[in-house]
Amino acid sequence: MKDTGALLSDLQRATFLQNIRNLNGQEGVFTAVRSHVNKTYQQQVDRHLVGVDCNPWYLAGALRHAFAHGALTATPQNVQPQAMGTVARFLSRGLFQCMDTEFRERVRQFEQMLDG
């Protein structure tokens, strides 16, 4: 996870984080998730919640971890009813776009090597 910070440029990360922060109910989502993850993830969630730069993939990982281990439901207490789904969909789309970009670049490099 620690190497994922390089998958986005500074501008992409800042824009992505700002878009997450603009989602209705996102603060409640990450507050609910925070207590279910380890210290490294908590630090990234804390950074996000106070509005400073963080690694958005840790936010996605924290959400996945909390759900996968059964500690979090789709509608946790004190979270706006549709916020969890909104945040999860946004992070999921971001992850897929990032993976697609990374995959295209690796294929391009591989094809260059073959043409080499």
Side-chain angles (χ1 to χ4, degrees):
M1 181 65 84
K2 63 183 176 191
D3 296 331
T4 61
L7 293 173
L8 298 173
S9 70
D10 291 344
L11 179 59
Q12 288 171 322
R13 185 175 52 255
T15 302
F16 192 66
L17 288 170
Q18 187 56 53
N19 286 334
I20 294 170
R21 289 182 179 112
N22 289 340
L23 296 174
N24 287 332
Q26 63 84 30
E27 187 174 337
V29 168
F30 290 111
T31 299
V33 166
R34 186 190 183 284
S35 64
H36 302 291
V37 296
N38 71 31
K39 185 177 178 179
T40 302
Y41 286 82
Q42 286 178 351
Q43 289 170 340
Q44 293 294 316
V45 169
D46 291 344
R47 292 178 63 80
H48 170 71
L49 289 172
V50 297
V52 298
D53 190 39
C54 67
N55 184 332
W57 309 133
Y58 274 88
L59 303 178
L63 196 60
R64 187 220 58 88
H65 177 82
F67 273 120
H69 291 278
L72 194 64
T73 67
T75 55
Q77 284 186 335
N78 303 318
V79 175
Q80 294 176 8
Q82 296 181 355
M84 189 65 71
T86 299
V87 170
R89 279 189 299 277
F90 182 84
L91 287 170
S92 182
R93 282 194 309 265
L95 281 165
F96 280 116
Q97 287 178 358
C98 186
M99 287 186 291
D100 188 49
T101 299
E102 184 70 14
F103 180 75
R104 280 195 314 268
E105 177 58 22
R106 288 177 186 229
V107 168
R108 185 192 65 74
Q109 290 173 2
F110 179 73
E111 289 172 341
Q112 279 184 329
M113 181 209 47
L114 292 176
D115 293 340

